[in-house]
Amino acid sequence: MSIALKQVFNKDKTFRPKRKFEPGTQRFELHKRAQASLNSGVDLKAAVQLPSGEDQNDWVAVHVVDFFNRINLIYGTVCEFCTERTCPVMSGGPKYEYRWQDDMKYKKPTALSAPQYMNLLMDWIEVQINNEDIFPTSVGVPFPKNFLQICKKILCRLFRVFVHVYIHHFDRIILMGAEAHVNTCYKHFYYFVTELNLIDRKELEPLKEMTTRMCH
């Protein structure tokens, strides 16, 4: 990564503090393996496949946390241009509007501005991934039975960040020289969620044309 890109994607720009894996744990080893595959320039389609003999929940947990950190970083680079004035609706172009619901303050799908939606989304995901009952960090502690359902919801909502950034803020990404980095992150995400069937195909519709060009 160039020095300019390192400055763009520095830790100060991260929307939220990064969740890390404890050294010595199985998940830390999986995280290292996944990172090594990416850094070696390996085919992304191959890199997302579940390694032989590994637990699928562990593999998904590692990737969900990693994608949260990366997508946080991407949104952090454009968030100063994503304001109540520029983005009064959380959308992906004129055809797609995303409403927020969290079963706490927002019990019904509620129309919000993009920055409001993003803040609520990142807070909500952070709560999930830091909850030991959902993402256990201790060896031998099982994942909850609904773990994959929770991860599907997280990944579906993270995809909406890509939709909004690509459709409404990609000019900023290009100006910063970060296009290749964001595209690689998106391809990695897309291959992962489709390889393991973690996202409903209709959710992928807003970026379908771009994805066809980029990933097929």
Side-chain angles (χ1 to χ4, degrees):
M1 196 187 285
S2 69
I3 291 170
L5 262 188
K6 277 187 175 148
Q7 287 169 347
V8 169
F9 291 99
N10 67 29
K11 62 182 182 297
D12 299 329
K13 286 277 190 182
T14 309
F15 210 50
R16 295 285 184 281
K18 291 179 77 165
R19 167 82 192 266
K20 291 188 171 66
F21 296 99
E22 290 301 313
T25 62
Q26 172 69 10
R27 225 156 291 153
F28 180 73
E29 295 307 315
L30 276 177
H31 176 66
K32 277 203 312 190
R33 187 189 305 188
Q35 291 305 304
S37 292
L38 287 177
N39 293 338
S40 69
V42 75
D43 170 19
L44 285 170
K45 254 185 173 171
V48 299
Q49 291 169 9
L50 179 67
S52 177
E54 296 297 350
D55 178 70
Q56 182 175 336
N57 284 345
D58 273 323
W59 190 238
V60 171
V62 163
H63 281 81
V64 166
V65 172
D66 192 42
F67 287 134
F68 170 65
N69 289 335
R70 286 166 187 263
I71 293 168
N72 240 329
L73 212 51
I74 289 168
Y75 184 67
T77 65
V78 301
C79 65
E80 65 191 286
F81 307 101
C82 182
T83 66
E84 305 281 333
R85 188 180 61 78
T86 62
C87 305
V89 175
M90 174 56 184
S91 61
K95 281 174 67 178
Y96 299 95
E97 180 185 336
Y98 299 119
R99 299 188 169 205
W100 181 255
Q101 183 176 9
D102 56 19
D103 299 325
M104 289 160 54
K105 184 179 176 185
Y106 298 91
K107 296 191 187 298
K108 292 179 180 174
T110 307
L112 297 171
S113 68
Q116 279 181 296
Y117 186 101
M118 296 294 188
N119 268 301
L120 288 165
L121 172 59
M122 299 306 178
D123 282 345
W124 175 79
I125 296 176
E126 203 172 14
V127 167
Q128 312 296 312
I129 64 176
N130 287 306
N131 183 339
E132 287 284 331
D133 293 331
I134 300 173
F135 282 75
T137 52
S138 305
V139 178
V141 176
F143 287 94
K145 287 189 169 60
N146 63 340
F147 177 69
L148 282 181
Q149 288 308 115
I150 294 168
C151 287
K152 283 178 180 180
K153 194 167 187 179
I154 291 172
L155 291 166
C156 171
R157 289 178 163 183
L158 280 175
F159 180 76
R160 295 170 181 180
V161 181
F162 275 124
V163 174
H164 185 74
V165 168
Y166 268 117
I167 292 174
H168 297 281
H169 300 293
F170 205 61
D171 55 335
R172 301 302 316 177
I173 298 290
I174 291 169
L175 274 174
M176 288 185 248
E179 183 179 0
H181 179 85
V182 175
N183 286 348
T184 299
C185 183
Y186 174 72
K187 280 160 72 171
H188 185 203
F189 180 93
Y190 173 81
Y191 287 139
F192 183 76
V193 297
T194 52
E195 165 73 19
L196 294 175
N197 270 328
L198 294 171
I199 203 161
D200 194 316
R201 290 281 170 173
K202 75 175 189 299
E203 282 288 338
L204 300 172
E205 282 292 316
L207 297 180
K208 190 175 178 182
E209 283 183 29
M210 183 197 80
T211 304
T212 302
R213 287 197 308 273
M214 199 188 291
C215 301
H216 297 288

